[in-house]
Amino acid sequence: MTTFTASAVDSGKETRGQRRTGRPVTGVGRPGFAWAAPAAVFFGLFALVPLLLVVVLSFTRWNGLGSPEFASLKNWTKLFDDPVMVKSLWLSLLLTVLGVAVQTPISILLGVWAAGRQRNRAVLSAIYFVPLLLSVTAVAVLWRAVLDPNFGVPSQAKWLFGDGNLFGAQTSALGVLVFVSTWQFTPLHTLLYQGAARAVPQVLYQAAQIDGAGRVRQFFHITLPQLRNTIVTSTILMVVGGLTTFDTVLILTQGGPGTDTTNSAYYMYQKAFKSFDFGMASAIALLLVLVASLVSLVMVRLSGYDKMRSTMEGV
Amino acid sequence: MKRHAQLLRTAVVGGASLAMTLSLAACAGSGGSAGGDSDTIHVLVYGDATNKVEKRLVDTFNKTSKVKAVLDTVPGADYQSKLQTIISGKQAPDVFFNWGGGSIKPYVDAGMLTPLDDFIAKNPKLESEFLPSVFNTAVVDGKPYGVPMRGTQPVLLFSNQKVLKDAGVTAPRTWEELLAAVKTLKAKGVTPIALGGGDKWPTQMWFQYVYDRVAGPELFKKAAKGDKDVWASADSKKALGMLRELIDAGAFGTNYDSVKFTDGGSPALLATGKAGFELMGSWEYSTLQDAYPDFVKSDLGYSAFPTVEGGKGDPGNIAGNPNNFYSVLKSTKHPEAVAEFLKLMYSDAFVKDQLSVGNLPTTTNTAKFLDQSASPEYSKYQYDLVKKAPAFQLSWDQAFPPAATTTLYQAVQQFFNGQMDTDAFIAAMQRLPAA
């Protein structure tokens, strides 16, 4: 951990150094398209080609046996008539919004706090990052055991959990899903914010101190604006992660009770690998791709991220 | 379109089978290219502790056979999905494990399985050596497609004798006695019946038994074949009414949807005395023996599902998984070798091996070896139950085709926790695709 933070600080200094030597900021020095070729080839092979296959599959009826039969728009009409599908999209969006709303403030506060240089912070932030190292499956199994109504925490804290039927009601089941994702992924975002907070030029704080600004004002008027790009990056990660949440649902709730936590990603899995309706599953997958692309596009536009305005301007 | 579809199929199946080859080679250690060797037959089974028996059988077979058998295993939860992925590709096995009924119906419909009539004509023992109620589970459209290959798994009402004794309750023989026991246990502050509702399939077990007791096996047989009217019949409504009464009496407590069988939750309730009963497949015994050996020795009780007064179903009927089966693919290059291999499934060695790991085979010669089982008393009880049963109802989730499972699970869960009333449940069941 120490070596990591040290190098992050170094590279921060380096960038500033380069800028001072008068390197143009117009993008002339940025790598050309050729540099992206290997990534582009991989993206084509492992993202575009499968995506095209899914598009074709979504117009077929196929249970995995024999050849797919052409089904024209049947899957798509079925999809929009399906109450579970509509509900699952709402649940996906709800889980995403709740995830962003809960995780962002926590990660910003933790990240900014962890960006300090004292020794105890380094140790504590190392502990924060432990959940990030565990696999989602392990985390979900762990929390399922901790939240068991008869043998877990709820049996000891009845004043808080009542009869402990957390997975038997929609509100509490969704709450558990949001909580577990937060527990697991906040460290990742904290890490992002920690890096970004360390890159904020110290001169800004020094100037603010001279002007008599307190810590709270410094946070809201210097740190937060300087984190703008990181907030957008982190939020997009959360949104994409939230929309495609699957493993936690699979292990914690299995979409239940009933269909109350069946989000689109889990519904797609049910259609494909439980009902063996690959045509329908492909249609759901595409719908999810469309919704996710749309949401991140809107976010990029609204946040002005596409203009890549640097937070360094005027420094 | 046809050509495009073919291309697509090749691409998708190719990718999937590539992944399968890798994982199969890795987990089964079979090595080499599965599809390439022509003098072997591949036997695909559900990967679990019982595989050691299957491994021994394959070794026995290979000692005398020119065509060698290779055992491939797929870890439990993924079995059904992986089977479906590889079965139409080049990596398709020659013989594979299944649950009979709806679980093989799609393959029969796709014309991929060999009806076993010819095998049986040449060697009648392939049918006559097995208990008929079990053998019939793998009969699809009037033709046999499977040979029983493991142990039978009837669903029994397990109980904690100590809890029952403390409350002054005996194992209920009738539905009325069950309701009375529920009330007494509830008054004593224990959950009357443990239920792993989070898994959903344990909830379904209550439906299959109550329906069978009230209406007899015919109702569900018709339903599985696509008769939607039976769900709205008076018998169906009566069964649902009885279940509702049981649930409303507090039989399962209030948090059963947060409890699972698969993570050991509901068996723990029973073993630690927090619950009086649990309705579960016969594997409950070995599950409990692993985790709570002392409890099994001193306090574990088991009995048949209570009878229902005035019900059309025979009180001797049972529900659960009659057995697992081996089915044979048409594409096999060595049908004779496969027929030879299947003969092992009623051999004395097979029966002894299965009994030694706690499985109860369903061959007619099983009775001879019951004394050598892991727990003779329990094995004998089960064997008699299965042998005398006029009907053995395959679990609903296996009797229906896979396309129905999700809807079925959701419906049983929602009926239990009150999100669905009787009419909504009937409507949901009528929407299920038929086998």
Side-chain angles (χ1 to χ4, degrees):
Chain A
M1 206 60 230
T2 354
T3 51
F4 175 78
T5 37
S7 71
V9 173
D10 284 351
S11 69
K13 274 181 192 155
E14 218 168 75
T15 336
R16 262 175 277 151
Q18 278 170 355
R19 275 177 201 265
R20 251 183 239 123
T21 56
R23 200 160 184 177
V25 272
T26 44
V28 178
R30 287 194 177 141
F33 179 72
W35 294 84
V41 168
F42 269 87
F43 181 72
L45 266 179
F46 295 106
L48 291 183
V49 172
L51 193 65
L52 276 175
L53 286 175
V54 169
V55 172
V56 177
L57 262 187
S58 74
F59 293 102
T60 63
R61 250 175 63 90
W62 192 41
N63 68 353
L65 304 171
S67 299
E69 293 164 41
F70 183 64
S72 69
L73 287 171
K74 229 175 188 168
N75 289 324
W76 290 95
T77 49
K78 238 177 28 188
L79 199 64
F80 291 107
D81 286 342
D82 185 351
V84 181
M85 181 65 224
V86 177
K87 187 174 165 186
S88 80
L89 267 183
W90 278 118
L91 284 172
S92 291
L93 290 173
L94 181 68
L95 278 174
T96 308
V97 169
L98 285 176
V100 172
V102 174
Q103 288 180 45
T104 304
I106 301 179
S107 344
I108 291 181
L109 289 175
L110 280 178
V112 170
W113 179 82
R117 275 148 222 256
Q118 297 92 324
R119 188 188 149 84
N120 63 333
R121 292 193 192 207
V123 175
L124 275 175
S125 11
I127 294 171
Y128 284 150
F129 299 130
V130 169
L132 191 59
L133 304 176
L134 303 173
S135 87
V136 185
T137 319
V139 168
V141 170
L142 176 88
W143 280 105
R144 177 95 209 180
V146 171
L147 296 174
D148 185 283
N150 299 297
F151 303 99
V153 173
S155 65
Q156 301 302 317
K158 287 200 192 296
W159 54 275
L160 180 61
F161 292 99
D163 65 353
N165 195 21
L166 290 173
F167 298 101
Q170 185 173 34
T171 334
S172 49
L174 286 172
V176 172
L177 287 174
V178 170
F179 171 78
V180 171
S181 307
T182 303
W183 189 81
Q184 167 136 54
F185 291 112
T186 301
L188 170 72
H189 299 283
T190 302
L191 201 61
L192 289 177
Y193 286 117
Q194 185 195 25
R198 285 208 172 139
V200 178
Q202 286 301 315
V203 278
L204 295 178
Y205 293 110
Q206 285 156 5
Q209 256 168 357
I210 292 169
D211 290 342
R215 306 200 80 173
V216 177
R217 276 193 86 145
Q218 286 181 24
F219 175 78
F220 281 107
H221 288 90
I222 302 172
T223 316
L224 216 49
Q226 289 282 321
L227 292 179
R228 195 182 60 226
N229 287 345
T230 315
I231 293 175
V232 177
T233 311
S234 149
T235 311
I236 289 180
L237 284 177
M238 282 181 198
V239 166
V240 173
L243 285 176
T244 54
T245 302
F246 167 71
D247 2 27
T248 38
V249 177
L250 175 73
I251 293 164
L252 286 170
T253 68
Q254 289 173 338
T259 54
D260 282 353
T261 58
T262 304
N263 68 347
S264 297
Y266 184 71
Y267 195 48
M268 172 185 78
Y269 163 81
Q270 274 189 332
K271 283 287 171 201
F273 294 104
K274 293 289 165 203
S275 306
F276 298 111
D277 187 349
F278 287 98
M280 184 79 166
S282 304
I284 302 175
L286 282 177
L287 197 65
L288 204 55
V289 168
L290 285 178
V291 170
S293 313
L294 208 72
V295 168
S296 47
L297 213 72
V298 167
M299 280 178 48
V300 167
R301 272 291 151 84
L302 286 183
S303 61
Y305 190 61
D306 51 338
K307 297 190 189 74
M308 294 292 264
R309 200 155 59 85
S310 166
T311 46
M312 290 300 209
E313 275 163 28
V315 175
Chain B
M1 192 55 224
K2 179 93 188 143
R3 211 170 68 92
H4 286 212
Q6 192 58 40
L7 194 72
L8 173 73
R9 208 192 78 98
T10 315
V12 174
V13 170
S17 35
L18 179 72
M20 267 314 289
T21 326
L22 296 177
S23 65
L24 272 185
C27 68
S30 55
S33 60
D37 32 16
S38 57
D39 53 350
T40 59
I41 50 172
H42 281 262
V43 180
L44 184 73
V45 295
Y46 184 95
D48 62 14
T50 314
N51 290 147
K52 57 184 176 221
V53 175
E54 278 119 26
K55 186 104 196 79
R56 243 177 302 180
L57 269 176
V58 164
D59 290 343
T60 312
F61 176 75
N62 287 345
K63 265 181 212 147
T64 53
S65 172
K66 228 198 250 169
V67 177
K68 304 293 178 201
V70 180
L71 190 73
D72 300 322
T73 58
V74 171
D78 299 327
Y79 182 82
Q80 198 97 322
S81 318
K82 291 209 175 169
L83 171 67
Q84 181 118 358
T85 319
I86 58 166
I87 199 163
S88 48
K90 274 193 176 155
Q91 309 300 327
D94 298 277
V95 181
F96 69 95
F97 164 106
N98 58 71
W99 290 264
S103 75
I104 50 171
K105 173 84 170 147
Y107 308 127
V108 173
D109 287 347
M112 304 175 107
L113 302 189
T114 309
L116 301 179
D117 317 20
D118 292 349
F119 287 22
I120 293 166
K122 275 182 211 152
N123 174 22
K125 282 185 170 179
L126 272 178
E127 183 172 353
S128 63
E129 291 288 304
F130 297 100
L131 299 183
S133 65
V134 173
F135 187 86
N136 288 338
T137 315
V139 173
V140 179
D141 300 335
K143 287 189 173 174
Y145 282 95
V147 167
M149 49 73 70
R150 273 191 180 180
T152 185
Q153 298 136 21
V155 172
L156 304 171
L157 189 63
F158 290 89
S159 55
N160 185 324
Q161 293 298 314
K162 189 171 178 303
V163 171
L164 297 196
K165 212 197 234 164
D166 290 350
V169 170
T170 49
R173 274 159 305 174
T174 66
W175 187 259
E176 298 307 320
E177 283 180 26
L178 180 68
L179 283 173
V182 161
K183 278 173 197 142
T184 317
L185 287 170
K186 200 185 162 203
K188 286 265 171 189
V190 289
T191 308
I193 305 170
L195 175 65
D199 285 321
K200 303 182 184 79
W201 53 261
T203 312
Q204 170 237 191
M205 290 176 167
W206 282 94
F207 287 82
Q208 61 195 30
Y209 257 127
V210 173
Y211 265 83
D212 195 279
R213 288 286 187 268
V214 170
E218 286 310 312
L219 186 147
F220 185 74
K221 250 184 220 161
K222 281 186 199 158
K225 281 186 185 135
D227 183 346
K228 306 206 181 292
D229 296 336
V230 295
W231 292 113
S233 67
D235 280 343
S236 169
K237 285 181 180 158
K238 184 184 171 198
L240 291 173
M242 285 167 57
L243 282 169
R244 175 61 39 219
E245 192 186 356
L246 186 67
I247 300 160
D248 290 346
F252 306 98
T254 52
N255 57 26
Y256 47 86
D257 273 340
S258 301
V259 179
K260 282 189 174 190
F261 174 84
T262 45
D263 63 7
S266 58
L269 282 175
L270 185 72
T272 56
K274 292 189 177 204
F277 299 101
E278 179 172 23
L279 187 67
M280 191 38 70
S282 57
W283 57 83
E284 174 92 325
Y285 193 92
S286 47
T287 307
L288 287 168
Q289 200 162 37
D290 267 357
Y292 309 93
D294 294 338
F295 165 70
V296 171
K297 237 180 269 161
S298 55
D299 293 324
L300 177 68
Y302 42 86
S303 56
F305 195 82
T307 59
V308 169
E309 206 180 322
K312 292 175 192 156
D314 191 293
N317 285 352
I318 42 180
N321 299 326
N323 204 337
N324 298 116
F325 299 87
Y326 274 137
S327 290
V328 183
L329 265 87
K330 263 191 190 145
S331 58
T332 180
K333 292 194 186 90
H334 304 285
E336 307 82 17
V338 169
E340 284 302 312
F341 177 72
L342 293 179
K343 278 187 196 169
L344 290 178
M345 299 310 129
Y346 55 82
S347 67
D348 289 357
F350 168 83
V351 175
K352 280 189 218 165
D353 271 358
Q354 292 289 352
L355 282 170
S356 73
V357 296
N359 284 350
L360 183 67
T362 51
T363 55
T364 49
N365 60 351
T366 301
K368 281 194 284 181
F369 303 101
L370 285 178
D371 288 334
Q372 300 171 26
S373 98
S375 57
E377 197 190 332
Y378 181 64
S379 295
K380 275 180 192 156
Y381 175 79
Q382 266 191 83
Y383 186 78
D384 284 343
L385 201 69
V386 175
K387 201 180 156 198
K388 286 180 193 150
F392 196 145
Q393 163 70 65
L394 174 63
S395 286
W396 284 11
D397 50 352
Q398 295 296 343
F400 271 112
T405 322
T406 305
T407 322
L408 177 67
Y409 283 166
Q410 281 162 6
V412 299
Q413 184 176 38
Q414 289 179 315
F415 180 79
F416 254 60
N417 68 17
Q419 288 182 343
M420 245 186 204
D421 60 11
T422 306
D423 292 336
F425 180 80
I426 290 170
M429 297 307 278
Q430 287 175 334
R431 279 198 301 274
L432 293 180

